[in-house]
């Protein structure tokens, strides 16, 4: 035979049977030969090989005959100067040889012993397989959906390393099966049974049982089919309205998943049509293009037929719009909605990268209803399905769980609807269950990926995403918390320490020494958190179990997610949850420890502190706050709220709650007085518009009234925003609530800065009598001080505290006091009040003790006196108002300061009307003149001091 192609070594698979005179003898030899280009080298070998007598050796003169040729092994040189050696049918490498060499083709699941890689050729060869040491039994190869699959392996020899695999249609590699919520395994003396409950298309395919017996690896296979059901078929669309007046044809589709069964698909319709309905499914989807408008309402049916099975019929309803029918017009809200008949539903596919349909009802009055979307990100759905099947029993948990957790952070970025959020939360919960059920120790990298996703989930908008999601699934927040707690403690038992700090998550884990000291941990949160477990409890655990690790976890923003449910002893109380939640767990030798005393500090507390933990079992497993086993230690004012708890479970959550005064009466009083204040300020602006040109007779009067008008305008706008805030959702992520809080901050600050501008004009005129003010210079300075300075402060406050989630106070559209945002309002206000007080003292000194050369002109003196009197009344009122506000922030004494603050704050407009407008004599005279009233008599104002008195007459 001539050399063609790559040489092939038959090693040692040439079996020569030699028949000497006494008996036949078998031997193994190696034969090198060229490979035929078409690969049919075995047939060519036998076609050219002739059996002839030959001499066995020079010492033997009698001839020997070659009677048979049996091939066992084929070796082919590879690029690395080694050999790929594979076994022919009926032969296999034994287990010891297989374990000593690499397989030719790497497999994700198992090693294939039919082809191995050798560095050089030697005497090893594939051996003849003995009889199969077992049998695989299946009652029925075709199972109805929802039934139970039972595969039984009967063994007649001892088997080891037994595993079950499933090779699904369309998948490149088989999946290993493990005990899950659908798959289970039972073993008797000589029988192993695989049971799968509630089978569906996900469990159809070829089952492989691999095991070691009699020094060989064995594979037994069984194919299982599951017929399609109508729910397995996707209709596109499910129903449709068409108008024959503007008909351009339509297309219908029915799509099926990959299956081992062969289906023929066809279309039929009622009433029957001709020339349109035919087709055979050559792919996963069968399409029907209808070029002509049906004569009436028609039901098209996609019919799927497989030999020996009942047909699967899936209908699609087509509604024909006739002349005179009431219809909803074309619309572009959220998609391209065609004309639809009244009383029917329209459907359009979800946008790109999202799966599902968007539905919209056309009402009986031909009015489009709201959009109903079940669109879910396609990547999330794929990940959700993989996680479901992993939990059911498909896949290798040690490999699949880290891979899925690695993808979690990027999947959080895809969440854009409550449906997306619920799917992702379900993925997190299923992964946590799999980690607990299979007791998988997570690496630091895998745990970090999970916690990064947790931090991002806590950042999602609580109003537009979390609240609608929990309206559909009330236990969503509690289940999420429990999942995070469970996963956070699954580090390998001998991990020395682990510390990770993220925007909304901080975790610290420690492996204790054999003779531990007190466990003390602190977190650099705001306010700081601290936890301690006494040495005596830890020493006992260390002696009993050996390795003891403690994990402490802090979560932010869960107070916005968990429902406001209060357990026994807390019913009917008004509590405000703490923004930081501390979770502690102890793992001793792989087991969770539930009973231990732990002491925790939760920073400064407002009101009466209640130490509670989140009990996942309350309120029908929705969860709620409970005080069982926890108590608050009495602390001095301004010190940390300390909690002592006697129990600790893997999902124990402890936090500080404080009392909130009853706000109903305060809200009503505030709204009534604010309404009166708004009316007073509007009246004040109307008065100024009527007499403006009369009262500004000199520059000092102009500056005084210009400042007062801006004070009125800013306070009016601020009060209106404050009233509107009560109608908005008080979520830290609500754009409207955030906007109102920023405007209130800016406008209230502007009110005080304009009062400061008025005081500075007074101080300038008293200190620099002969220096005349210029409108061109002073007015821009007053506008800068009155608007740009407060705007800069408000913007700086927003930029500093909003990214930290500490800008808005929980439950209100106002600044948060815990993080310090509210202090950036109160401190500037009280500073301006202090400056105004100094100016008033200076004015009192100058106006009551002027020197002859320092006295201002009579008209300017009147304007300065008006400024002095207004500031003398308004500065204490405004200062007392926000002084009470600061006192309420610093300490909860009683409800009296709350009521005083509301009264003073909501009545500021009334005070401005009285002391800024009506108490000004010239304004009163101008108003009376404008109203046509008789001229008032000459009035006299006498200002008396201990030294002298001044008499001022006014016209």
């Amino acid at each position: 035979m001539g050399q063609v192609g790559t040489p092939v070594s038959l090693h040692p698979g040439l079996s020569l049977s030699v028949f000497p005179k006494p008996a036949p003898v078998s031997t193994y030899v190696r034969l090198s030969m060229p490979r035929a280009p078409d690969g049919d080298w075995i047939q060519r070998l036998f076609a050219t090989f002739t059996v002839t007598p030959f001499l066995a050796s020079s010492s033997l003169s009698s001839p020997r005959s070659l009677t048979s040729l049996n091939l066992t092994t084929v070796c082919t040189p590879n690029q690395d100067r080694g050999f790929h050696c594979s076994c022919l049918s009926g032969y296999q490498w034994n287990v010891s040889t297989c374990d000593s060499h690499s397989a030719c083709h790497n497999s994700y699941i198992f090693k294939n012993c039919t082809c191995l890689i050798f560095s050089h050729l030697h005497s090893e060869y594939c051996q003849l397989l003995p009889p199969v040491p077992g049998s695989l039994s299946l009652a029925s190869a075709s199972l109805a959906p929802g039934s139970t699959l039972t595969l039984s392996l009967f063994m007649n020899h001892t088997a080891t390393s037994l595993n079950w695999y499933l090779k699904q249609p369309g998948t490149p590699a088989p999946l290993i099966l493990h005990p899950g919520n659908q798959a289970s395994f039972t073993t008797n003396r000589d029988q192993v049974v695989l049971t799968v409950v509630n089978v569906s298309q996900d469990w159809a395919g070829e089952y492989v049982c691999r095991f070691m017996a009699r020094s060989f690896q064995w594979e037994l296979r069984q194919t299982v089919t599951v017929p399609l059901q109508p729910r397995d078929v996707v209709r596109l669309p499910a129903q449709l309205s068409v108008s024959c007046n503007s008909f351009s044809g339509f297309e219908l589709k029915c799509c099926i998943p990959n299956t081992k069964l062969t289906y023929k698909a066809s279309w039929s319709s009622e009433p029957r049509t001709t020339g349109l309905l035919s087709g055979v499914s050559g792919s996963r989807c069968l399409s029907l293009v209808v070029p002509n408008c049906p004569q009436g309402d028609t039901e098209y049916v996609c019919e799927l037929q497989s030999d020996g099975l009942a047909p699967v019929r899936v209908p699609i309803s087509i509604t024909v719009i006739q002349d005179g029918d009431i219809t909803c017009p074309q619309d572009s809200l959220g998609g391209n909605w065609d004309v639809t008949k009244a009383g029917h539903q329209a459907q359009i596919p979800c946008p790109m990268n999202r799966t599902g349909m968007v539905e919209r009802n056309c009402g009986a009055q031909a009015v489009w209803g709201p959009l109903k979307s079940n669109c879910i990100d396609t990547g999330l759905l794929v990940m959700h399905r993989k996680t479901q099947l992993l939990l059911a029993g498909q896949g290798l948990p040690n490999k699949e769980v880290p891979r899925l957790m690695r993808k979690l952070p990027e999947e959080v970025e895809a969440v854009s609807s409550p449906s997306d959020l619920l799917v992702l939360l379900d993925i997190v919960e299923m992964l946590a269950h799999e980690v607990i059920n299979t007791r998988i120790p997570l690496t630091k990298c895998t745990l970090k990926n999970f916690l990064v996703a947790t931090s991002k989930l806590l950042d999602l908008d609580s109003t537009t995403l979390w609240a609608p999601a929990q309206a559909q699934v009330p236990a969503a927040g509690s289940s999420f918390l429990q999942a995070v707690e469970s996963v956070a403690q699954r580090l390998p038992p001998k991990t020395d320490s682990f510390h990770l700090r993220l925007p909304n998550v901080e975790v610290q884990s420690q492996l204790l020494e054999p003779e531990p000291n007190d466990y003390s941990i602190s977190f650099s949160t705001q306010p700081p958190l601290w936890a301690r477990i006494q040495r005596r409890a830890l020493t006992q655990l260390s002696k009993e179990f050996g390795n003891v690790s403690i994990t402490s976890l802090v979560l932010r923003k869960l107070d916005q997610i968990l429902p406001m449910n209060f357990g026994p002893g807390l019913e009917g109380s008004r509590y405000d949850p703490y923004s930081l939640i501390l979770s502690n767990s102890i793992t001793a030798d792989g087991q969770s420890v539930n009973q231990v005393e732990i002491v925790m500090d939760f920073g400064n507390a407002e009101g009466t502190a209640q130490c509670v933990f989140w009990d996942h079992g309350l309120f029908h497993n929705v969860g709620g706050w409970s005080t069982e086993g926890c108590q608050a230690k009495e602390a001095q004012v301004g010190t940390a709220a300390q909690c002592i708890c006697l129990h600790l479970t893997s999902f124990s959550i402890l936090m500080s709650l404080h009392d909130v005064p009853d706000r109903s009466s305060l809200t009503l009083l505030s709204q009534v007085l604010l309404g009166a204040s708004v009316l007073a300020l509007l009246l004040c602006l109307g008065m100024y518009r009527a007499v403006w040109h009369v009262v500004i007779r000199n520059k000092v009067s102009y500056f005084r009234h210009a400042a007062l008008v801006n004070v009125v305008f800013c306070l009016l706008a601020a009060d209106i925003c404050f009233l509107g805030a009560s109608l908005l959702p008080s979520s830290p992520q609500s754009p409207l609530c955030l906007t109102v809080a920023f405007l209130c901050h800016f406008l209230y600050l502007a009110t005080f800065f304009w009062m400061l501008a008025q005081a500075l004009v007074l101080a300038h005129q008293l200190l620099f009598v002969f220096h005349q003010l210029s409108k061109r210079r002073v007015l821009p300075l007053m506008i800068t001080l009155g608007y740009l300075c407060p705007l800069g402060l408000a913007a700086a406050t927003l930029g500093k505290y909003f990214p930290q989630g500490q800008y808005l106070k929980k439950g209100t559209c106002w600044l948060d006091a815990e993080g310090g945002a509210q202090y950036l309002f109160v401190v500037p206000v009280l500073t301006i009040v202090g400056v105004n007080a100094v100016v008033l003292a200076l004015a009192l000194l100058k106006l009551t003790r002027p020197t002859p050369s320092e006295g201002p002109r009579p008209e300017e003196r009147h304007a300065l006196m008006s400024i002095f009197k207004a500031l003398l009344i308004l500065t204490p009122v405004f200062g007392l108002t926000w002084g009470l506000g600061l006192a309420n922030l610093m300490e909860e004494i009683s409800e009296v300061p709350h009521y005083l603050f509301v009264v003073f704050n909501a009545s500021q407009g009334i005070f401005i009307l009285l002391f800024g407008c009506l108490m000004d004599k010239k304004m009163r005279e101008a108003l009376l003149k404008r109203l046509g009233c008789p001229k008032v008599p000459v009035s006299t104002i006498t200002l008396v001091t201990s030294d002298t008195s001044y008499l001022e007459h006014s016209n």
Side-chain angles (χ1 to χ4, degrees), residues 773-810:
L773 296 175
S774 170
K775 288 184 180 181
R776 181 175 298 180
R777 294 181 179 178
V778 174
L779 194 58
L781 291 176
M782 294 177 70
I783 293 175
T784 300
L785 180 64
Y787 286 117
L788 294 185
C789 289
L791 181 62
L793 276 173
T797 306
L798 179 67
K800 175 177 175 59
Y801 291 101
F802 181 71
Q804 304 174 11
Q806 299 175 341
Y807 185 71
L808 295 183
K809 181 177 177 63
K810 182 176 178 61

Side-chain angles (χ1 to χ4, degrees), residues 70-81:
N70 298 322
L71 302 180
T72 66
T73 313
V74 178
C75 294
T76 304
N78 57 28
Q79 297 178 351
D80 299 329
R81 297 185 179 181

Side-chain angles (χ1 to χ4, degrees), residues 21-38:
K21 290 181 180 180
V25 176
S26 297
T27 185
Y28 292 89
V29 299
R30 180 183 305 149
L31 173 64
S32 295
M33 62 170 291
R35 179 190 296 170
D38 57 359

Side-chain angles (χ1 to χ4, degrees), residues 121 131 276 417 549 617 730 878 903:
L121 297 176
L276 298 176
S417 69
S549 62
S730 55
F878 279 63
V903 170

